[in-house]
Amino acid sequence: MSLYLEDLHVGQSFVSRTHALDAEQIKRFAADYDPQPFHLSDEGAAGTMFETLAASGWHTMALTMRLLVESVPLADGLIGASTEVSWPRPTRPGMVLQAFSEIADIRPSKSKPDMAIVTLRSETRDQNGNVVQVFIARMPVYRRGSEVI
Amino acid sequence: MSLYLEDLHVGQSFVSRTHALDAEQIKRFAADYDPQPFHLSDEGAAGTMFETLAASGWHTMALTMRLLVESVPLADGLIGASTEVSWPRPTRPGMVLQAFSEIADIRPSKSKPDMAIVTLRSETRDQNGNVVQVFIARMPVYRRGSEVI
């Protein structure tokens, strides 16, 4: 199923598969991209606001992106024009993450009649329903048969 | 050098080292976290708004985070309370990325006298000075000797 602009409506929702996160994944991502002590080991997190090992927010975001690519089947792709990301609580080893997304707004372009800016709001939740990330993306979405380039 | 709240002022700037990006890195990150055709190969990008291979925005963000961890030495770490990310132009193979950051705002907490919310604005630029990403992070920053936990 490939969705175009005319297939979308405000309130439309999408649920991803789950992803099981463990300490090894957290440490590996952090070593590559966010080598702060609290993302690298329990010892490094002691005495910080995290207290024990917590994933980099960008790891949570990257994992969420993978879940969104698989669960929000926009025909021309998920391309963020502008985004907001926040983390209401830490992402921890042992969490099973899942992305719950909803079309929050559809704003037709004034200059391009075949295009709208679609706002997607995604919550990444753990296996207990706790929200670890809120992600808001504004994305250009086109009608069937539009010239995207 | 480890910076606390009293060491920061609006307008203070930080420049990172550079990171040379190539197609292999772009494809590997995309395969793990953002497997959309335009992030996986030139062929997959043909006919899309990217036209040729472009990095996932989250790859640019993750690389930028690495550069920020090394160049913005906040004593208690870089911990984003809320963030905004946008990509004015695609990040491409062959680009040499560098993060230019500035303290944009310092807002003292009303409830916690030892803490402020510091807004950091970072531009990620290529070797020609073109901005490929604008990242804004609001982060809690503490004074020397504060109890962070």
Side-chain angles (χ1 to χ4, degrees):
Chain A
M1 186 179 53
S2 251
L3 301 178
Y4 290 88
L5 180 54
E6 59 267 40
D7 304 318
L8 302 182
H9 62 269
V10 171
Q12 193 168 353
S13 63
F14 308 90
V15 178
S16 79
R17 68 169 169 88
T18 58
H19 176 86
L21 188 63
D22 62 30
E24 279 318 300
Q25 296 168 46
I26 289 175
K27 294 173 186 179
R28 192 164 9 137
F29 186 97
D32 284 344
Y33 298 114
D34 192 352
Q36 302 192 83
F38 36 77
H39 298 322
L40 290 167
S41 69
D42 279 326
E43 295 69 32
T48 74
M49 60 174 286
F50 292 110
E51 300 187 300
T52 60
L53 182 67
S56 168
W58 304 115
H59 191 190
T60 305
M61 184 61 237
L63 290 170
T64 297
M65 189 65 199
R66 173 94 202 203
L67 297 176
L68 295 180
V69 166
E70 297 171 0
S71 63
V72 185
L74 299 187
D76 294 316
L78 297 167
I79 300 171
S82 69
T83 64
E84 297 165 37
V85 193
S86 62
W87 301 278
R89 56 175 64 72
T91 299
R92 302 288 193 180
M95 281 185 173
V96 179
L97 302 177
Q98 191 168 18
F100 296 80
S101 305
E102 188 174 293
I103 305 288
D105 189 47
I106 299 176
R107 192 159 306 233
S109 165
K110 282 168 189 156
S111 58
K112 299 179 183 171
D114 280 353
M115 196 264 270
I117 296 294
V118 171
T119 302
L120 187 76
R121 184 183 188 281
S122 293
E123 289 188 357
T124 306
R125 301 181 198 158
D126 71 8
Q127 67 276 24
N128 299 314
N130 295 311
V131 178
V132 295
Q133 182 183 273
V134 178
F135 170 52
I136 295 168
R138 281 164 289 275
M139 306 180 291
V141 178
Y142 293 83
R143 294 188 178 281
R144 264 182 191 79
S146 303
E147 279 293 333
V148 173
I149 295 179
Chain B
M1 185 179 53
S2 252
L3 301 178
Y4 289 88
L5 180 54
E6 59 265 40
D7 304 318
L8 303 181
H9 62 268
V10 172
Q12 193 168 354
S13 64
F14 308 90
V15 178
S16 78
R17 68 168 169 91
T18 57
H19 175 87
L21 188 62
D22 63 29
E24 279 318 300
Q25 297 168 44
I26 289 174
K27 294 173 187 181
R28 194 166 7 139
F29 186 97
D32 285 343
Y33 298 114
D34 192 351
Q36 301 192 83
F38 35 77
H39 297 324
L40 290 166
S41 70
D42 279 327
E43 296 70 30
T48 73
M49 61 173 287
F50 293 110
E51 298 185 303
T52 60
L53 182 67
S56 168
W58 303 116
H59 192 189
T60 305
M61 184 61 238
L63 291 169
T64 297
M65 189 65 201
R66 172 95 201 200
L67 297 176
L68 294 180
V69 166
E70 296 170 2
S71 63
V72 185
L74 299 187
D76 294 315
L78 297 166
I79 299 171
S82 69
T83 64
E84 297 165 37
V85 194
S86 61
W87 301 277
R89 56 177 62 74
T91 299
R92 303 288 195 180
M95 281 184 172
V96 179
L97 302 178
Q98 192 169 16
F100 296 80
S101 306
E102 187 173 294
I103 305 288
D105 190 48
I106 299 176
R107 192 158 306 234
S109 165
K110 282 169 190 157
S111 57
K112 298 180 185 171
D114 280 353
M115 196 265 270
I117 296 295
V118 171
T119 302
L120 186 77
R121 184 183 187 282
S122 293
E123 290 188 356
T124 307
R125 301 181 197 157
D126 71 8
Q127 66 276 25
N128 299 314
N130 295 311
V131 178
V132 295
Q133 181 183 274
V134 178
F135 170 52
I136 295 168
R138 281 165 289 275
M139 306 180 291
V141 178
Y142 294 82
R143 294 188 178 281
R144 263 183 192 79
S146 301
E147 278 294 331
V148 173
I149 294 181

